[in-house]
Amino acid sequence: MADWSRGAATPGRPPAVEVEALARRFGRRWALRGVDLRVEPGEAVAVLGRNGSGKTTLLRVVATLLRPTRGRVRVAGRDVVREAAAVRERVGLMGHAPGVYDDLTAAENLRFALRMMGRVVDEQRIAAALEAVGLGREADERVRGFSAGMRRRLVLARLRLQQPEILLLDEPYASFDAEGVELLNAFVRETVERGGAALVVTHDLARGEGVLERAFVLDGGRIVQEVQVTGRPGAVREVVP
C-alpha cells in the first residue's frame, strides 16, 4: 500500500494541487477566469458551485484532460501540460462517466485497469478490492447488468487498486446509497491519512461531513469564497445559489 506520510512531514514538499491564475475558454465562452487555489498533502478539499460555474472544467484541467488556456496548474510539483504523464501516474479520477466496460465482468474490468496502469495482475488483490466495496459476489457478472451505484462501487474498487496519491472526484456521491457514501469517505480518509490529498467537486457537502476540511465556492468561473468546514455543512451550503 502506498504511503506518502513521510513526504508530508518533509519541509519543502510541494502542494498536492496548485492552481495559479487558471483560465479556460471554450470558443468565446470563458468557463474559468483567473482561478487560484491550493490543496496541501493531507487535505480533502471541496469545490462547490451552481451548474455551469466551472467545477468540472477545473477538475478536468487538473486531471490533464483539458489544457489551460492561461495560467498554470501543478500536481505534486508536476506541471499538467509539460509533465502530463507524471501527473497521471499520481492522480486517480472518478468522473461523471464511470469508464467501465459493459461486456466485461467486474473482475475483468479490474484486470484490464491494472494492465493499463502497468501493474501486476494480482487476483487476490482484485478479489479483496471487490469485496471491500461490496461487490465480491458480483465479481464474475458482466457490468452491463449493474446499477449506477454498483458501477460507482466498481470505480472505487479500481481506485483502491491504483492507490493514487491524489484523488480527483467529480460528484462522487451521486448514485451512492448510504453504505456507498461511507465506503467512499473511508477511502478518502485513508488517502489523506497517508499524506495524500483529495479535490472533490460536489453539490452535497453534507455527505462529505467529517472528511472535507475546506471548500472553495466557484461562481461564473471565479472563486468567490473559501470556507473552513467545521462540521456544520449547512453553513457552507447556504452560500451556494
Side-chain angles (χ1 to χ4, degrees), residues 196-218:
L199 186 61
V200 183
V201 165
T202 183
H203 280 106
D204 196 350
L205 190 61
R207 286 192 146 194
E209 186 173 5
V211 177
L212 302 173
E213 303 165 32
R214 291 189 293 130
F216 293 97
V217 182
L218 271 174

Side-chain angles (χ1 to χ4, degrees), residues 12-21 35-41 43-47 58 62 72-74 197-199 214-216 223 226:
R13 186 184 180 196
V17 178
E18 187 174 23
V19 178
E20 297 177 339
V35 172
D36 294 282
L37 67 81
R38 186 176 173 125
V39 181
E40 299 292 346
E43 278 194 307
V45 175
V47 179
L58 170 63
V62 176
R72 176 181 293 181
V73 179
R74 289 183 290 268
L199 186 61
R214 291 189 293 130
F216 293 97
I223 290 178
E226 180 182 351

Side-chain angles (χ1 to χ4, degrees), residues 24-31 33:
R24 178 63 162 122
R25 184 174 63 188
F26 296 95
R28 295 183 177 181
R29 184 179 69 86
W30 289 92
R33 305 166 180 261

Side-chain angles (χ1 to χ4, degrees), residues 37-230:
L37 67 81
R38 186 176 173 125
V39 181
E40 299 292 346
E43 278 194 307
V45 175
V47 179
L48 312 176
R50 70 179 81 196
N51 292 337
S53 61
K55 303 185 303 297
T56 293
T57 299
L58 170 63
L59 208 68
R60 287 174 64 82
V61 172
V62 176
T64 77
L65 299 178
L66 290 173
R67 291 172 66 96
T69 303
R70 298 175 185 164
R72 176 181 293 181
V73 179
R74 289 183 290 268
V75 174
R78 276 76 176 180
D79 185 275
V80 298
V81 176
R82 297 193 307 270
E83 302 171 280
V87 171
R88 292 183 195 119
E89 290 177 357
R90 288 164 173 79
V91 302
L93 176 67
M94 179 183 283
H96 284 291
V100 295
Y101 296 92
D102 284 355
D103 291 330
L104 300 181
T105 67
E108 287 170 344
N109 265 278
L110 297 186
R111 290 186 195 110
F112 179 74
L114 284 171
R115 293 188 183 104
M116 291 298 292
M117 288 184 268
R119 308 280 183 87
V120 174
V121 175
D122 185 325
E123 296 297 335
Q124 289 186 333
R125 288 188 64 223
I126 288 172
L130 289 170
E131 193 66 39
V133 301
L135 292 178
R137 295 180 179 179
E138 291 82 12
D140 297 321
E141 292 185 15
R142 295 194 185 278
V143 172
R144 184 176 302 280
F146 282 17
S147 67
M150 293 170 70
R151 289 165 184 262
R152 283 277 181 176
R153 288 182 183 230
L154 183 56
V155 175
L156 181 55
R158 188 173 67 204
L159 289 174
R160 293 189 70 88
L161 285 175
Q162 182 185 357
Q163 290 291 311
E165 182 178 349
I166 297 154
L167 297 173
L168 303 175
L169 309 178
D170 194 356
E171 296 295 349
Y173 300 113
S175 303
F176 268 144
D177 56 16
E179 181 186 39
V181 168
E182 183 48 42
L183 289 170
L184 175 63
N185 283 340
F187 182 62
V188 174
R189 288 190 201 99
E190 292 170 13
T191 300
V192 300
E193 286 170 2
R194 293 196 304 275
L199 186 61
V200 183
V201 165
T202 183
H203 280 106
D204 196 350
L205 190 61
R207 286 192 146 194
E209 186 173 5
V211 177
L212 302 173
E213 303 165 32
R214 291 189 293 130
F216 293 97
V217 182
L218 271 174
D219 190 19
R222 294 184 173 93
I223 290 178
V224 296
Q225 191 168 4
E226 180 182 351
V227 185
Q228 189 72 34
V229 180
T230 59

